[in-house]
Amino acid sequence: MDLRVNTQQTENSTSAEPTDRSPRMTKRQTLTLISMASVNFSSMLCYSILGPFFPNEAIKKGASQTVIGLIFGCYAICNLIGSLLMGKYIVQIGAKFMLIAGLFVSSGCTIMFGLLDRAPEGAIFITLCFIVRSVDALGLAAAMTSTFAMTAKIFPNNVATVLGSLEIFTGLGLILGPPVGGWFYHSFGYEVPFMLLGCLLLIMVPFNFFVLPSIEAYPSKYSFFGLLTHAKIVLICFVIFTLSSGLGFFDATLSLFAMKTFNLSSGYVGLIMLGLSVPYCLASPLLGYFTDKYPDSRMGFIVAGGAITAVGFCLLGPAPFLSIPSQLWLLIIMLGLIGFSLGMTAIPTFPEIITCAYEQGYEEGLSTLGMVSGLFGAFWSMGMFYGPTVGGLITQHLNFEWAATVQGGIGFLAAFLLGVCSLCQRRKQSRQEDRQTDESTPLLIG
């Protein structure tokens, strides 16, 4: 009798929590995909419009290259703090409420950022930039932390595939943001791009309120510090740090370098940035599907992608010690190579951290997924602070070529250390398997 009851309860819980083994997605999964795609697209669209024209506009307002890097960097610091807090308390706050509230705050800050050109130049303009960007970062941290956690919760068996598919919309936002922002800025001035995209983000609030499903969960007894006791997780987080620092480096330095070196307008700079976004957008779904089908290939993709990214950064300038002159075609090709390698590296990291967390004994549920999502967002934000800040500082005191080379060296170091750690763990596992085989072999045969 008890066996029948337990079996029925298991079947009911399975039907209540849809899995990805069925050939067709449930209504809950479909609505979640639509919601997550809208969040990724609108958020990245609003985030990426700054690159082509804001650095030049900030210089007109009296900001230096270092201050511009700090403006981009403060966004990352607040995003870091927000990711840790939201990841820790996602169950208490509620994943759906966290996402909707984050979108609302981010939309208001985007609209307010479009009004900053009316502020007096100098200290007042710079201070307002820091305030608005900081609050915007907290809103986006709430939205993206809940997005990753809910995706992993509702699609537990195909996390990389779903995240890779959602990166199509992330890539579309990154693709359309620079050219659309640059074109609107060139045609209508500073305010129009932020007003339009801020209103688009505001429309996403009621849309996701009705579309997004609610998820009930219970808080966990584990913490972020337990995750960081695993060497493999720490090194994967280091790789995440290098990925985001590279993207942040582009935000603060690439547009000024292209304008100065190749005499390009802000609109053409936005088109050049397509070379980074398009390969990433196209490769992410395929890489996600492959790494879900063959989970053992994740570490290989992460290490190889990090090494390729490092090579791309060294040839971006190119590096001064290579004695190769700067060429526009070489810049575009290297951006495409970096975009593809970023997909190789970034897509497998999140499901790999989840796997490591479960191996450490963490409970399967929204609380653990929220902590993993918060940890991912925190290290991503650390890189987004380091990239524009240190990259802008090196560019100001040396040049863009040396700054890109330093960024490539950090990426290579992260890939190398993770590769060594992975090889050591494989050797350790193979030795344990050999010992178990020897112990199970009978001493006397026949």
Side-chain angles (χ1 to χ4, degrees):
M1 184 67 180
D2 294 336
L3 179 62
R4 291 181 181 179
V5 172
N6 293 334
T7 304
Q8 290 177 356
Q9 290 177 350
T10 303
E11 292 175 353
N12 293 334
S13 62
T14 304
S15 61
E17 288 290 335
T19 62
D20 298 290
R21 296 177 181 176
S22 59
R24 293 184 179 181
M25 290 192 301
T26 63
K27 181 180 179 181
R28 187 188 193 192
Q29 292 174 325
T30 303
L31 293 177
T32 302
L33 273 181
I34 295 174
S35 176
M36 299 300 105
S38 67
V39 172
N40 284 21
F41 175 75
S42 56
S43 299
M44 291 302 103
L45 192 66
C46 293
Y47 172 80
S48 61
I49 62 172
L50 291 176
F53 62 88
F54 177 75
N56 190 42
E57 191 72 21
I59 289 177
K60 295 179 182 178
K61 289 286 189 177
S64 64
Q65 178 71 66
T66 303
V67 172
I68 294 173
L70 290 173
I71 291 174
F72 281 97
C74 78
Y75 183 93
I77 289 295
C78 294
N79 199 291
L80 184 155
I81 298 173
S83 297
L84 292 176
L85 292 176
M86 303 301 174
K88 177 63 177 177
Y89 299 105
I90 187 173
V91 175
Q92 291 84 348
I93 298 174
K96 180 177 179 178
F97 176 79
M98 182 184 292
L99 190 147
I100 295 173
L103 285 178
F104 181 78
V105 171
S106 184
S107 63
C109 290
T110 302
I111 295 174
M112 291 178 62
F113 206 84
L115 301 175
L116 292 182
D117 65 324
R118 303 183 182 184
E121 65 180 22
I124 296 179
F125 172 80
I126 294 173
T127 302
L128 290 175
C129 285
F130 278 112
I131 294 174
V132 177
R133 288 287 285 175
S134 299
V135 178
D136 190 16
L138 295 176
L140 187 62
M144 297 310 296
T145 300
S146 57
T147 295
F148 277 102
M150 293 181 69
T151 301
K153 173 66 176 178
I154 299 178
F155 298 91
N157 300 319
N158 299 314
V159 177
T161 302
V162 175
L163 290 179
S165 301
L166 291 176
E167 289 305 305
I168 294 178
F169 299 92
T170 301
L172 285 176
L174 294 174
I175 288 171
L176 296 177
V180 169
W183 184 81
F184 275 112
Y185 170 78
H186 183 73
S187 302
F188 304 103
Y190 177 83
E191 297 180 2
V192 174
F194 294 100
M195 295 297 174
L196 291 177
L197 297 182
C199 292
L200 174 63
L201 199 62
L202 188 61
I203 295 175
M204 295 296 104
V205 174
F207 173 77
N208 284 277
F209 178 79
F210 292 105
V211 168
L212 196 67
S214 299
I215 297 179
E216 296 182 359
Y218 300 95
S220 175
K221 61 181 180 180
Y222 296 98
S223 65
F224 290 101
F225 299 103
L227 292 173
L228 294 177
T229 58
H230 196 286
K232 188 177 180 180
I233 293 179
V234 173
L235 292 177
I236 293 176
C237 290
F238 185 28
V239 172
I240 295 170
F241 167 83
T242 61
L243 295 177
S244 59
S245 64
L247 294 177
F249 169 77
F250 285 141
D251 289 336
T253 60
L254 182 60
S255 61
L256 295 177
F257 171 74
M259 290 179 181
K260 181 180 178 180
T261 306
F262 306 112
N263 296 321
L264 300 177
S265 64
S266 59
Y268 282 106
V269 172
L271 292 176
I272 288 177
M273 290 184 176
L274 293 177
L276 179 69
S277 304
V278 171
Y280 177 81
C281 177
L282 297 178
S284 294
L286 298 177
L287 293 170
Y289 173 78
F290 188 86
T291 53
D292 266 339
K293 190 174 183 180
Y294 305 100
D296 293 337
S297 66
R298 290 173 185 165
M299 294 303 300
F301 273 101
I302 295 174
V303 174
I308 296 173
T309 303
V311 173
F313 271 101
C314 290
L315 294 175
L316 193 66
F321 56 81
L322 297 177
S323 300
I324 301 175
S326 298
Q327 301 287 339
L328 182 58
W329 63 268
L330 181 62
L331 176 69
I332 296 175
I333 292 176
M334 288 303 105
L335 285 175
L337 182 66
I338 293 172
F340 178 80
S341 61
L342 285 177
M344 291 180 61
T345 310
I347 297 301
T349 54
F350 189 73
E352 189 66 22
I353 296 178
I354 293 176
T355 301
C356 293
Y358 290 156
E359 290 175 353
Q360 284 188 287
Y362 277 67
E363 301 173 354
E364 297 187 13
L366 183 63
S367 181
T368 299
L369 296 175
M371 284 189 287
V372 173
S373 180
L375 188 68
F376 183 95
F379 276 88
W380 186 272
S381 300
M382 289 175 60
M384 293 300 290
F385 173 78
Y386 170 88
T389 304
V390 178
L393 187 63
I394 297 176
T395 301
Q396 182 177 352
H397 292 281
L398 295 176
N399 51 40
F400 175 85
E401 290 84 350
W402 274 116
T405 304
V406 171
Q407 181 63 46
I410 296 174
F412 179 79
L413 177 63
F416 175 77
L417 293 177
L418 184 60
V420 172
C421 178
S422 179
L423 289 176
C424 292
Q425 286 188 347
R426 287 188 178 183
R427 289 183 179 181
K428 184 178 180 180
Q429 290 177 356
S430 63
R431 290 176 183 176
Q432 292 178 351
E433 291 176 356
D434 292 339
R435 290 177 182 176
Q436 292 176 357
T437 302
D438 294 337
E439 292 175 356
S440 61
T441 303
L443 297 177
L444 296 177
I445 301 177

